[in-house]
Amino acid sequence: MTILYDEGQQAIATESRRVLEARVDKDALLPLLERVGEYHRPFWDTAKEQGWTGLALPEANGGLGLGLAELGLIAHQAGRSISGAPFLTSSFGAAKAIELFGSDAQKLRWLPGLASGEIIGAVAFAAGPDALPPCPDVTFTDDRLDGIARGVSAGLAANIAIVYANGPGMRVLALVELAGTQRSAVPSFDNSRLIADIGFSGASAETLAAGDAARDAALHILALQAVVTAHEQTGGAEVLMEIARDYALTRKAFGQPIGAFQSVKHRIAELYGLVELARANCIHAAAREGAADFVTAAAAARLSATEAYDTAARDCIQIHGGIGVTWEIGLHLHMRRARSLAIEQGSSLFWEDVLVDQLAGEAA
Amino acid sequence: MSDLESYRAKAAAWLQSMAPTFGRNARKGLSEADDLALGRRYQKAKFDAGFAGINWPTEYGGQGLSHLEKVTFDAEEMKHGFPSFYFGISLGMPVPVLMQFGSDKDFVKERVLKALQGEEIWCQLFSEPSGGSDLAGLRTKAEPDGNGWKINGQKVWTSWAHYSDYGVIVVRTDPNVPKHKGLTYFWVDMKAPGVTVRPIKLAGGESHVNEVFFDDVKISDDHRMSPVGGGFAVAIATLMIERYVATDSAGFGPHLDLFVELAKEIQLNGRPAIEDGRIRQQIARNYAMRSGLDSINVRARLMMQTGMMPGAEGSLNKLVAVRSRQKLSELAIDLQGSDGFLFDEHASQKEDWASSWINAPTGRIAGGSDETLLNTIAEKVLGLPQDHRPDKGIPFNQIPA
């Protein structure tokens, strides 16, 4: 795949931006922070209505048959508007796990609903600091799951989850329905991510992959999600750079716009560099889906996008001075989102290790 | 295979065949004089093989191809360590400007052909002790002298002036108008009476750059390449030539693979350094940065291929890559501990960490300092205000020195 966007892709970017700018308002996002268990419904309704939920899923399963590049463009716009629902990534990850590793019956059962957005998926691989633990907390025995999957994004609202579990003598990638499981909301600095601890006690589950294949499968799903998230992070970083620039042009001190001071203008120019590096890595990674170096490209995108979004959040607030830290102006929404996206799908520490393993030829 | 890819294959094959005679290994241990002589022979071989002046007009001895072929060839050429840099400035800017602005076509053609074949070298006399980033602040002056001009003053940081036959120069011809309006662009014979070239030894031990002094250097008016007072525009045109050049995400230092190899070989606390989290983090961060630049560069090439104009992100190359090369080189020396002292001033900056490190500051200054590049991004790309410029609109001779 080429790394130049064609007309259709550019139209996706323009249209999704127009729609999201019209329907997502920070004043609607702020109250979500103060309530546990709520997300921005207009975003998910929009995603369903626009077909974004099935964009990158196969046509045979009710999707639109497009790829990571197109979903990435939507995610980029979602990042710009801090769209407050994690499902665009989590349902995509769950659907890809079923599409790539599931049986025909499982695909028939779940993919059309995931594609239409009526079914919400979550991906539960992590155990605390480990995005892909050597020995997962959740156990899988005789097609049943036990234990607690911690800090699962979208976990509160999801209908199904893909779980990385500790089976008899090997790892298992399992598909589980969440109805009937015990879910408790995790109070978070970014509450609309619907973070949940999910408790399984003998929940009936199905195997998607087992043994070494389970880890490879899980890493692949994480990498797919990481590329989507990296686009979202880059969108957030980009809009923060623009907000900082616009503020530096209007706010005056000592008789001139603060953007005339090198300490300010260079800070914003540095953000431009971080945003463009992240964007370049995102486009490259989306184009490498299916290639041998896909995980490497995904890791690079993830690392540069995390750095870009966190730095942009930090510096944009700094450039605003006092007004930047107020509840109303909403820059903290980005700061929160930058951090929650930095942890979802594995932290920088995780991806640094993955990347160096690939480069050093020690890929697990 | 696309046309460009077959061109790349053809260039790569030719370069491969030249490597034993002119490449890295052939140059080991040569004095600079011998290396330059080898470089002249290599440049002649390039000309004979049709790889010189790739994107220049055929009437001047060029190949009449596009910028894409040029960048493609340069990227392949970079891999072999040929002695081509002696001609980099000459063929990069002054000679193309001569083609564009030189008035005597026969003279121009003769110069261009000799430069393309490595017989003559041109330098670019822009920077001065009082004006580096502030190009228009220069003080070297040319005064009317009979039918021609008389030049007095000093230039600095002039690459390869000590080997140059000719140079292009910007001088002040009118101090009574604002600084940009009083400049004129000439070419000069570097062997003319009154021209003195003094090499500057740099921190790394080498002397590629020079101070050049002009004492009553007389030139005739046919040396003039701009209207009187119109030199700044030609100077900017010079700097804008070849905006998209072959780049290197390693910042013209060692490739990241070399660092990974080093980290595998070296033991830290009894374990390979590649297992140390601090080292792993630097490798990963560097890789992410370099792959981003590579992707930007590939995208720019694809855009040019389809007739589109690449975005401003190409300007990030030098800024981002050289800073990271500097830090990575420091870390590579750290890693070697007491073995890290070893220094060979003739070692390649692309293969040796100490050489890369000691020469890195030049990369952050030459061709636009980090600060200048950040200003350019902030002002030209993001639309932020210019720095405060108290000399704006004021006649040059009334600016407080």
Side-chain angles (χ1 to χ4, degrees):
Chain A
M1 208 202 91
T2 176
I3 55 169
L4 290 186
Y5 290 134
D6 61 28
E7 277 178 32
Q9 290 168 324
Q10 281 163 12
I12 287 176
T14 320
E15 179 61 10
S16 58
R17 178 161 176 177
R18 191 187 64 76
V19 169
L20 287 176
E21 279 179 357
R23 299 191 194 176
V24 182
D25 177 356
K26 78 166 171 44
D27 292 333
L29 300 177
L30 285 170
L32 300 176
L33 292 174
E34 297 179 300
R35 293 196 285 271
V36 178
E38 284 190 30
Y39 65 96
H40 192 239
R41 287 177 189 275
F43 170 71
W44 193 239
D45 291 341
T46 300
K48 288 193 278 192
E49 167 204 311
Q50 300 281 320
W52 299 341
T53 49
L55 200 72
L57 300 181
E59 287 181 83
N61 302 118
L64 295 180
L66 298 173
L68 263 186
E70 289 81 6
L71 185 61
L73 286 169
I74 305 286
H76 181 92
Q77 301 307 330
R80 285 184 62 98
S81 62
I82 339 174
S83 297
F87 319 130
L88 196 68
T89 313
S90 72
S91 284
F92 168 70
K96 288 304 275 190
I98 295 167
E99 178 202 330
L100 295 173
F101 311 107
S103 65
D104 286 345
Q106 286 165 332
K107 290 181 206 175
L108 204 62
R109 169 78 181 85
W110 298 112
L111 289 183
L114 285 163
S116 71
E118 296 313 311
I119 293 172
I120 289 170
V123 169
F125 294 172
D130 281 318
L132 208 52
C135 187
D137 287 350
V138 179
T139 57
F140 179 89
T141 328
D142 298 332
D143 293 337
R144 291 188 182 279
L145 288 177
D146 287 284
I148 297 174
R150 288 184 282 153
V152 180
S153 286
L156 268 185
N159 307 99
I160 60 169
I162 310 297
V163 181
Y164 189 55
N166 195 15
M170 60 179 172
R171 309 292 87 79
V172 173
L173 193 66
L175 166 62
V176 62
E177 283 189 63
L178 294 177
T181 57
Q182 289 187 323
R183 283 186 268 188
S184 54
V186 176
S188 155
F189 51 75
D190 190 8
N191 270 330
S192 63
R193 302 309 283 174
L194 303 186
I195 315 289
D197 288 343
I198 306 175
F200 302 105
S201 47
S204 173
E206 300 169 17
T207 306
L208 292 176
D212 289 345
R215 191 185 185 278
D216 292 346
L219 182 60
H220 185 71
I221 298 303
L222 272 185
L224 287 168
Q225 289 189 294
V227 175
V228 177
T229 303
H231 279 85
E232 194 171 345
Q233 293 170 301
T234 305
E238 178 188 71
V239 78
L240 283 168
M241 174 190 75
E242 293 168 8
I243 292 169
R245 187 261 324 268
D246 293 347
Y247 187 74
L249 282 169
T250 29
R251 169 76 184 183
K252 290 191 174 173
F254 305 104
Q256 57 181 330
I258 59 169
F261 299 115
Q262 283 199 345
S263 59
V264 173
K265 70 201 271 193
H266 285 187
R267 207 182 272 280
I268 303 172
E270 297 279 10
L271 290 183
Y272 174 80
L274 292 177
V275 168
E276 290 306 324
L277 287 176
R279 187 200 315 277
N281 276 326
C282 282
I283 296 173
H284 175 69
R288 298 306 292 170
E289 185 184 356
D293 63 354
F294 173 61
V295 170
T296 305
R302 180 78 170 123
L303 289 174
S304 53
T306 299
E307 187 185 359
Y309 201 9
D310 276 331
T311 309
R314 219 185 289 134
D315 288 359
C316 185
I317 291 174
Q318 182 68 21
I319 285 165
H320 278 72
I323 191 83
V325 296
T326 59
W327 182 265
E328 286 79 3
I329 198 173
L331 290 176
H332 62 105
L333 284 163
H334 275 295
M335 187 174 135
R336 293 162 189 269
R337 184 58 46 84
R339 271 288 98 199
S340 58
L341 293 184
I343 308 175
E344 288 181 14
Q345 282 77 252
S347 70
S348 288
L349 300 170
F350 172 80
W351 286 109
E352 282 165 3
D353 274 335
V354 168
L355 181 49
V356 176
D357 283 346
Q358 304 280 332
L359 296 180
E362 297 161 8
Chain B
M1 192 157 46
S2 72
D3 288 353
L4 195 65
E5 283 315 301
S6 60
Y7 184 83
R8 182 190 299 279
K10 194 179 85 171
W14 182 79
L15 288 161
Q16 197 70 50
S17 75
M18 291 295 114
T21 319
F22 300 111
R24 197 173 286 123
N25 290 329
R27 295 174 53 209
K28 283 225 168 90
L30 291 187
S31 68
E32 191 164 281
D34 288 342
D35 194 46
L36 173 60
L38 189 76
R40 289 188 195 271
R41 280 171 45 218
Y42 171 64
Q43 187 60 37
K44 177 76 166 80
K46 260 167 90 169
F47 181 83
D48 292 341
F51 290 118
I54 290 169
N55 56 339
W56 293 8
T58 48
E59 67 257 38
Y60 286 116
Q63 300 298 317
L65 299 172
S66 80
H67 188 65
L68 276 171
E69 278 86 3
K70 166 81 164 72
V71 177
T72 301
F73 180 86
D74 289 353
E76 291 298 321
E77 188 185 41
M78 226 189 302
K79 297 174 182 169
H80 300 280
F82 291 119
S84 52
F85 42 84
Y86 300 104
F87 312 97
I89 300 278
S90 176
L91 300 177
M93 289 162 289
V95 178
V97 161
L98 182 73
M99 281 193 289
Q100 200 180 338
F101 295 97
S103 48
D104 178 349
K105 293 300 164 200
D106 290 338
F107 173 81
V108 170
K109 185 167 182 184
E110 192 184 337
R111 296 283 76 71
V112 172
L113 281 170
K114 292 208 168 191
L116 275 181
Q117 296 176 77
E119 284 177 52
E120 291 177 355
I121 296 175
W122 285 65
C123 61
Q124 177 173 293
L125 300 142
F126 281 16
S127 292
E128 294 192 5
S130 63
S133 300
D134 181 13
L135 173 61
L138 57 86
R139 293 173 181 278
T140 297
K141 62 183 178 184
E143 297 162 300
D145 181 66
N147 291 329
W149 301 82
K150 189 174 68 183
I151 303 177
N152 277 289
Q154 184 198 343
K155 295 287 177 177
V156 75
W157 307 127
T158 313
S159 297
W160 310 117
H162 52 316
Y163 297 135
S164 287
D165 302 281
Y166 300 94
V168 291
I169 186 168
V170 191
V171 293
R172 185 161 309 279
T173 44
D174 187 354
N176 301 302
V177 293
K179 62 181 186 176
H180 294 86
K181 302 196 167 151
L183 305 175
T184 306
Y185 198 107
F186 296 93
W187 64 266
V188 290
D189 180 348
M190 292 297 286
K191 314 292 183 207
V195 178
T196 309
V197 176
R198 195 154 64 190
I200 299 170
K201 187 168 179 171
L202 296 182
E206 309 224 43
S207 312
H208 300 152
V209 291
N210 303 271
E211 294 178 291
V212 183
F213 298 88
F214 292 85
D215 294 304
D216 287 339
V217 176
K218 292 183 175 152
I219 57 172
S220 58
D221 192 54
D222 61 8
H223 286 41
R224 186 158 54 79
M225 293 165 71
S226 78
V228 175
F232 190 72
V234 179
I236 293 298
T238 312
L239 297 174
M240 292 304 286
I241 288 177
E242 321 246 323
R243 211 170 128 210
Y244 293 96
V245 293
T247 49
D248 178 13
S249 64
F252 302 96
H255 198 275
L256 191 60
D257 286 354
L258 288 179
F259 189 87
V260 173
E261 288 310 309
L262 184 71
K264 281 167 136 178
E265 282 162 23
I266 285 184
Q267 299 268 318
L268 215 53
N269 299 319
R271 284 168 45 207
I274 189 82
E275 293 174 17
D276 186 286
R278 296 161 294 183
I279 302 300
R280 294 172 76 79
Q281 182 166 61
Q282 293 308 315
I283 290 172
R285 301 268 160 163
N286 257 279
Y287 181 86
M289 184 281 296
R290 292 173 186 215
S291 72
L293 287 181
D294 287 338
S295 180
I296 285 173
N297 295 334
V298 170
R299 204 166 39 160
R301 271 211 300 281
L302 287 172
M303 290 186 88
M304 288 191 279
Q305 234 168 307
T306 50
M308 291 185 277
M309 192 64 179
E313 61 274 11
S315 61
L316 290 169
N317 259 296
K318 193 177 92 82
L319 176 69
V320 176
V322 183
R323 284 196 295 203
S324 106
R325 159 192 161 183
Q326 192 171 35
K327 283 182 163 172
L328 193 69
S329 302
E330 286 167 2
L331 184 60
I333 295 172
D334 278 0
L335 252 187
Q336 298 171 75
S338 59
D339 294 335
F341 290 118
L342 191 64
F343 178 62
D344 168 8
E345 72 171 44
H346 299 297
S348 161
Q349 296 180 40
K350 287 195 73 64
E351 283 155 42
D352 181 85
W353 293 106
S355 175
S356 166
W357 163 75
I358 205 157
N359 291 297
T362 313
R364 292 187 58 188
I365 297 164
S369 66
D370 287 7
E371 291 71 22
T372 305
L373 297 175
L374 286 167
N375 262 9
T376 304
I377 292 169
E379 293 168 16
K380 300 275 161 45
V381 183
L382 301 174
L384 287 162
Q386 281 198 341
D387 286 2
H388 177 51
R389 291 183 179 167
D391 59 357
K392 218 169 188 174
I394 295 176
F396 182 75
N397 54 12
Q398 288 174 32
I399 298 169

